[in-house]
Amino acid sequence: MTEFVYGNEEDWEGRPSKSQRKRDMVALQKLGESLLELAPEQLDRLGLPEDLAEAVRFYHTLKDKEARRRQLQFIGTVMRKVDPEPLRQAMDELDQLRYQQAEEFHQIEEWRDALVGGDREVLTELVGRFGLDPQQLSRLARLAAAEKEAGKPSKNGRALFRLLRQAFEGEAD
């Protein structure tokens, strides 16, 4: 009877284990899933290989749950041919940008709410920082407070927010 030999240990050195390969494939599939959350113009900016971009676009045309699952697996397969590091970096940069935009949005909301609440210090700070018209800010804040008090939709509150956002974005440029 001949004994079956698996090969030398030297043949296996340096190769990742089956578990590690599977973890790597799952990580690539998850990276592919994160691509599905992006808007088409964001996908275009990433400079994806055409087959991967096409697979992601095709996913969005599918309605059937099982078809979407299979397409997601296909995206994971296509991802194995792509160098994931530049893609991960680009996704991290997008996440950082989203976080920064959310922080800016919350800051502008806080300023608006403070102005509507009658905080004169915030008014003085915003006028000094952005060179805004204090009368216009006061008028919009006063009208927004009246709308809030009456329980009406805050048309002037939105206008105040837009004004603050434009000033903030103008400062960032």
Side-chain angles (χ1 to χ4, degrees):
M1 177 176 231
T2 61
E3 187 174 317
F4 183 74
V5 178
Y6 285 104
N8 298 340
E9 285 184 26
E10 296 166 4
D11 293 341
W12 295 98
E13 282 184 33
R15 289 180 64 190
S17 68
K18 183 177 180 181
S19 298
Q20 182 60 47
R21 288 194 317 262
K22 182 160 184 166
R23 283 190 296 271
D24 292 344
M25 285 187 284
V26 168
L28 285 174
Q29 189 168 350
K30 290 217 180 288
L31 184 59
E33 283 178 36
S34 66
L35 294 174
L36 300 174
E37 299 169 6
L38 300 178
E41 60 274 359
Q42 289 175 317
L43 277 174
D44 294 341
R45 277 189 255 136
L46 288 178
L48 298 175
E50 189 53 38
D51 54 346
L52 180 57
E54 182 64 30
V56 170
R57 283 192 289 269
F58 184 65
Y59 175 88
H60 291 292
T61 66
L62 300 173
K63 302 293 180 219
D64 183 59
K65 183 178 180 180
E66 181 61 19
R68 282 180 159 230
R69 184 193 65 77
R70 286 191 310 270
Q71 185 65 15
L72 190 56
Q73 285 183 325
F74 176 70
I75 290 170
T77 302
V78 173
M79 289 288 298
R80 291 180 210 153
K81 300 174 193 168
V82 175
D83 180 15
E85 224 25 65
L87 193 52
R88 280 191 185 106
Q89 285 179 324
M91 294 299 290
D92 288 344
E93 288 171 11
L94 276 175
D95 287 342
Q96 190 64 30
L97 180 63
R98 282 190 209 127
Y99 176 77
Q100 180 183 352
Q101 289 172 338
E103 287 294 313
E104 291 169 0
F105 185 87
H106 291 304
Q107 178 62 58
I108 295 167
E109 280 184 326
E110 287 177 19
W111 287 335
R112 181 203 53 206
D113 293 343
L115 289 171
V116 170
D119 190 335
R120 304 301 287 175
E121 289 178 19
V122 171
L123 177 69
T124 306
E125 175 192 341
L126 293 174
V127 167
R129 181 172 175 182
F130 300 117
L132 295 170
D133 179 11
Q135 291 177 338
Q136 182 184 18
L137 281 178
S138 295
R139 184 180 61 79
L140 283 173
R142 201 172 41 258
L143 292 171
E147 288 172 343
K148 185 177 180 181
E149 185 76 29
K152 294 181 180 178
S154 186
K155 180 178 95 174
N156 290 296
R158 287 190 300 275
L160 180 59
F161 184 88
R162 279 191 300 273
L163 178 69
L164 293 172
R165 186 177 63 208
Q166 288 169 353
F168 188 83
E169 288 171 354
E171 180 189 56
D173 292 339

